[in-house]
Amino acid sequence: MKITNKTSTELILSKKNGLNPFLFIWSIFFTGIPLIVLISTFSALGVITINCERIEPKLVNCTLNRSGFGGFFPQNKESLNNVIEAQFQQIEEKDSDGATTFDNKVILLSKNGKNLAIQELMFINGVRGNAKEMRQVSQEISNFLNSNESLFVIEIDNRWRWANLFIFCFISIFILIGGTVFMMTILEIGYETIVFDKVSRQLKFEKVNLLGKKKDNISLNEVNGIVLKELTDSDNDRYYLLFISTKNNHEKYQLDRAFQADKLESNGREIANFLDVKLVKKNL
């Protein structure tokens, strides 16, 4: 806090609580990057519907409908006519880090040599598509092709798999932490004022921010000193705090914080002289 006004009977300290650039940028990245990952993951979750219709005994047409964003939005529609075979494929490859990946999918083949891939959009832990599920889909389509049934419909729903739910919960923790820091950074914008009034013998404290207004009054008779304290942070860096100390030795209001004691000591001594109390140094 800075001394903004001083007379023989009144001393006013004030401080503007602006936007903390470090916390603001940190919270943007800590929230934004996981949020992008979450949206990207969510966009790949949905339902793949394969609809096959027998037009003639030896003529089967199949349509693939894909939905994303949790199944709420249709993404694309593909079709393949004159389907004659369904094959399960598992492609094993090495990614850029040398880890093995598995791509599980079903390929529909037609008489004219065209094909249609039934596959999921997203790799999870190096695997795309459930091998067991894709084998089952391939087998059921093959059974339909070799039967006399007229209509076949099957769905692949990847929305409620444990791996996807775990990813959502894990990423949501980062978004919650970053979002909380972001909101507190914004909500703390405001100002603080302390008025030492010798006429009314009152210390008047006021803090205003987006959360509201906080006021507090204590008698100047309760103030028995100004405390300058040295502390050490987690990196073993020294910093200094300036407090008001009351008669019960409670450090009630933090007046200032700095990495150099000289400036705090100068302000603290001026406040102490005005109140006719001592400047107490702790850990110095």
Side-chain angles (χ1 to χ4, degrees):
M1 284 185 161
K2 295 181 179 180
I3 298 174
T4 56
N5 189 38
K6 181 181 178 183
T7 65
S8 59
T9 58
E10 186 178 69
L11 178 66
I12 300 176
L13 309 177
S14 62
K15 178 180 71 171
K16 289 184 179 181
N17 296 322
L19 188 68
N20 187 315
F22 172 77
L23 288 179
F24 181 75
I25 294 174
W26 179 89
S27 64
I28 289 293
F29 279 97
F30 204 81
T31 304
I33 295 176
L35 186 60
I36 292 173
V37 174
L38 188 67
I39 293 174
S40 177
T41 302
F42 187 63
S43 68
L45 300 184
V47 181
I48 299 173
T49 303
I50 304 101
N51 188 321
C52 294
E53 184 178 4
R54 191 178 302 279
I55 308 300
E56 297 178 4
K58 297 297 182 179
L59 178 60
V60 175
N61 297 338
C62 292
T63 302
L64 185 149
N65 292 285
R66 188 189 302 275
S67 64
F69 290 96
F72 293 105
F73 298 98
Q75 289 186 325
N76 59 3
K77 181 178 181 180
E78 299 176 87
S79 61
L80 184 67
N81 296 330
N82 212 345
V83 177
I84 58 172
E85 188 180 356
Q87 294 180 353
F88 167 75
Q89 289 187 1
Q90 183 180 72
I91 301 175
E92 181 179 340
E93 294 180 330
K94 298 286 185 179
D95 62 15
S96 57
D97 297 325
T100 303
T101 64
F102 296 93
D103 187 2
N104 301 298
K105 56 187 175 181
V106 176
I107 303 296
L108 299 183
L109 303 174
S110 68
K111 271 187 179 180
N112 57 13
K114 294 183 179 180
N115 62 71
L116 176 63
I118 302 171
Q119 62 185 152
E120 297 184 12
L121 298 177
M122 181 175 59
F123 280 89
I124 297 178
N125 293 328
V127 179
R128 177 160 67 173
N130 183 283
K132 183 178 178 180
E133 186 176 24
M134 286 299 182
R135 282 194 180 96
Q136 182 179 350
V137 169
S138 175
Q139 185 60 52
E140 291 191 24
I141 295 176
S142 296
N143 292 341
F144 170 75
L145 294 174
N146 295 323
S147 71
N148 294 320
E149 295 179 8
S150 60
L151 186 63
F152 172 82
V153 178
I154 190 171
E155 291 184 345
I156 301 172
D157 190 341
N158 67 353
R159 293 173 295 181
W160 308 111
R161 293 176 183 167
W162 284 111
N164 296 334
L165 294 176
F166 175 79
I167 291 173
F168 267 86
C169 293
F170 183 73
I171 295 176
S172 296
I173 293 173
F174 290 91
I175 295 175
L176 180 62
I177 295 172
T180 301
V181 173
F182 176 81
M183 289 302 300
M184 293 307 299
T185 302
I186 297 298
L187 293 174
E188 279 296 318
I189 296 175
Y191 65 88
E192 296 179 28
T193 303
I194 293 180
V195 178
F196 301 97
D197 190 343
K198 286 185 176 180
V199 176
S200 63
R201 300 298 299 169
Q202 291 287 308
L203 183 158
K204 303 172 185 178
F205 171 80
E206 182 180 54
K207 181 177 181 179
V208 178
N209 55 31
L210 295 178
L211 292 172
K213 182 183 291 187
K214 178 183 177 182
K215 289 186 176 182
D216 191 18
N217 290 2
I218 64 171
S219 171
L220 288 184
N221 297 327
E222 292 294 317
V223 179
N224 70 346
I226 304 299
V227 178
L228 177 61
K229 180 186 289 188
E230 179 185 292
L231 298 170
T232 304
D233 62 18
S234 58
D235 297 324
N236 291 323
D237 293 327
R238 295 178 181 179
Y239 65 97
Y240 303 88
L241 297 178
L242 194 65
F243 288 96
I244 295 173
S245 177
T246 59
K247 287 185 176 180
N248 58 2
N249 292 322
H250 180 62
E251 295 167 350
K252 190 169 180 64
Y253 298 111
Q254 179 181 317
L255 299 177
D256 210 346
R257 169 177 174 153
F259 288 102
Q260 298 292 331
D262 296 345
K263 183 178 179 181
L264 294 189
E265 183 175 352
S266 176
N267 289 342
R269 195 170 300 281
E270 186 172 356
I271 297 169
N273 291 339
F274 177 81
L275 298 174
D276 197 22
V277 296
K278 293 182 178 180
L279 174 65
V280 180
K281 298 180 182 180
K282 290 187 178 182
N283 303 331
L284 294 178

